[in-house]
Amino acid sequence: MSRPPGNIPPEIPEAVVVPRKRWRVQLVWLVPLVAVLIGGWLAVKAVLDKGPTITISFETGEGLEAGKTKIKFKNVDIGTITSVVLSPDHSRVIARADLSRDASSLLVDDTRFWVVRPRISGGTVSGIGTLLSGSFIGMDVGTGKESRRDYVGLEKPPVIATGVPGREFILKGDDMGSLDVGSPIFFRRLQVGQVTSYALDGDGKGVTLRVFINAPYDRYVKDDSRFWQASGVDVSLDTSGVKVNTQSLVAILIGGLAFQTPEENAGKSEAAAGTEFSLFRDRTEAMKRHDRIVDTYVFNFTESVRGLSVGAPVDFRGITVGEVAAIYTRFDPVKKKFSIPVEIRLYPERFTSRYKDGGEGGRVAAPADRHELGNWLVEHGLRGQLKTGNLLTGQLYVALDFFPNAAKAAIDWSGTPPEIPTVPGGLQSLQDSVTSLLARLNKIPFEGIGNNTKQTLLDADALLKRLDSEVLPQARATLAAAQTALNSANTALQPDSPLTQSTSETMRELARTAAAFRTLADYLERHPEALIRGKPEDKK
């Protein structure tokens, strides 16, 4: 645009209209906007990073504190208890916990939770570190596949964590003894496992224990392995002296178990996990031979069975072939007498033990011939007899043997169980003999014999008095005369006595006569004709 000449004012420029923008962000609003974005991002991240929420039920709230008690897995924090409240029925405590997102895969059906606090159980001490740091909730991951969010917490920590190599077995026993959770299990005095749990049977007649044997020792548990209580000290007295047997000092103090497989069954297959075994009271009972065939009989004794107990052996010539199962009393209304029936379990396999070929034992005869064989044995003197097993304790056992001179008897097969005849025991026989002797002695008229003896003594006294008054003076005179005769004979026999000298001279004369006779005999032997002709004259 050119400027006009003169005083003419320049032209006013024409305004150009620019359209106004509808939205214009001021710089001042950038800060709140960024803050909102960051907050939103943090909120979304918090939601995305938040782990699962679970509830755990406990009997008490001891050791639980909202906002402080941690949940740990392998000593790593994976969550926190957020609240602790009572259950609607006020019987339990419900703890709610938030876990990290990484812990979601650990929440399976058989995952276990428990409160870790100082404990002493089964000879083990755990949770000592919580004295300073405080209690926390321990966790053990299960092997299940299904997810879960509600759990019932354990009141005691598990003895064996999931995934530990080994196998669990079940034991059935009469009572617990001194066992507890965590009690050790020994194999050849080496600790190889522990008791994991126990419970009373539903019928109240026994207990069931679960035990865990660590690998690789679990392969020594066979189908025929025997478990027994190894608590305390086992003292036995036999012909070799006193024996003291125990597993370890720990077993003496807190109890324990032990197991072993009989040598003849050591080659059997390994027992599967969950196999059920019987729990015996001691090693002796556990290692007894377990027979497949068991026959039940009864012995009816009329003598005292004091000292005989259930479990006492039935002996056949030094070999245990059975045991006493029960002892009863019986009254016979016909004979009006009491007797003691003793029920026994007889093991026929022990009469046919394994031979060189290693075959299994069995019955002596087929079941069909059992009655025939039993009758034949009893006919030949098979009887039961009570004998003393220990003179110190007076314990008895049942001896099964042959007594050829026993009275005739037979097995009563009509009863259940069959009854085998018996003979009195050695002490009973002695007692019967003493009783018979006393009965005979009671029949002797000792009073009459005493009176007769008294009269005899009076007669003897009178006789002695008569001998003293009548016979004794004459006897004294006779003795005096005999003494005088002896003195005279002694004097006559002296060397210088006339009788002795005359006797000596006579003997010399007899000697000279004998010499002359010998000379004559010699001459006649040389000259027998002299008996007829005479002695020839001597030639001059």
Side-chain angles (χ1 to χ4, degrees), residues 493-513:
L493 294 175
Q494 292 296 323
D496 55 349
S497 63
L499 178 60
T500 303
Q501 292 179 357
S502 300
T503 303
S504 297
E505 184 65 26
T506 302
M507 294 300 294
R508 285 195 292 271
E509 290 296 331
L510 288 174
R512 286 195 293 269
T513 302

Side-chain angles (χ1 to χ4, degrees), residues 334-362:
V334 177
K335 298 180 180 179
K336 307 296 182 182
K337 290 183 178 180
F338 284 95
S339 60
I340 311 295
V342 176
E343 186 176 312
I344 68 164
R345 287 190 288 265
L346 195 65
Y347 308 122
E349 290 178 297
R350 302 193 182 184
F351 290 94
T352 57
S353 58
R354 298 177 178 179
Y355 296 97
K356 294 182 180 180
D357 57 358
E360 295 288 341

Side-chain angles (χ1 to χ4, degrees), residues 17 119 159 295 318 405 465 484:
V17 178
R119 300 176 187 270
V159 179
D295 290 337
N405 298 326
K465 290 180 179 179
T484 301

Side-chain angles (χ1 to χ4, degrees), residues 189 228 230-236 243-248 252 283-284:
R189 290 188 170 86
W228 68 88
S231 308
V233 180
D234 183 12
V235 181
S236 60
K243 294 182 179 179
V244 181
N245 185 25
T246 184
Q247 292 296 325
S248 68
I252 296 177
R283 186 181 186 278
T284 302

Side-chain angles (χ1 to χ4, degrees), residues 58 112-122 124-128 130 136-140 153-162 180-183 194-198:
F58 295 99
R112 298 176 290 182
F113 296 89
W114 67 94
V115 178
V116 179
R117 60 173 71 97
R119 300 176 187 270
I120 300 177
S121 177
T124 59
V125 180
S126 62
I128 297 298
T130 59
F136 62 90
I137 295 180
M139 176 181 176
D140 179 47
L154 304 177
E155 299 305 318
K156 294 182 179 181
V159 179
I160 302 298
T162 303
D180 196 0
V181 173
S183 295
Q194 49 276 323
V195 177
T196 59
S197 65
Y198 59 85

Side-chain angles (χ1 to χ4, degrees), residues 61 63-70 80-85 93-97 137:
L64 301 178
E65 188 174 354
K68 291 186 178 180
T69 304
K70 303 293 184 181
T80 304
I81 297 296
T82 59
S83 67
V84 180
V85 297
V93 173
I94 307 298
R96 184 180 298 274
I137 295 180

Side-chain angles (χ1 to χ4, degrees), residues 209-236:
L209 294 89
R210 291 185 175 272
V211 299
F212 187 85
I213 307 299
N214 300 316
Y217 308 108
D218 57 336
R219 60 191 175 96
Y220 298 113
V221 181
K222 309 293 184 179
D223 291 331
D224 193 35
S225 293
R226 318 287 173 80
F227 287 81
W228 68 88
Q229 296 197 22
S231 308
V233 180
D234 183 12
V235 181
S236 60

Side-chain angles (χ1 to χ4, degrees), residues 43-104:
V44 172
K45 186 177 184 299
V47 173
L48 294 176
D49 291 343
K50 183 181 179 181
T53 298
I54 63 172
T55 58
I56 309 173
S57 172
F58 295 99
E59 288 187 358
T60 66
E62 181 183 0
L64 301 178
E65 188 174 354
K68 291 186 178 180
T69 304
K70 303 293 184 181
I71 297 179
K72 295 184 178 183
F73 176 63
K74 294 186 176 182
N75 211 28
V76 176
D77 293 345
I78 60 172
T80 304
I81 297 296
T82 59
S83 67
V84 180
V85 297
L86 290 173
S87 62
D89 59 357
H90 300 166
S91 61
R92 297 183 68 84
V93 173
I94 307 298
R96 184 180 298 274
D98 290 337
L99 274 64
S100 63
R101 186 178 62 177
D102 298 337
S104 298

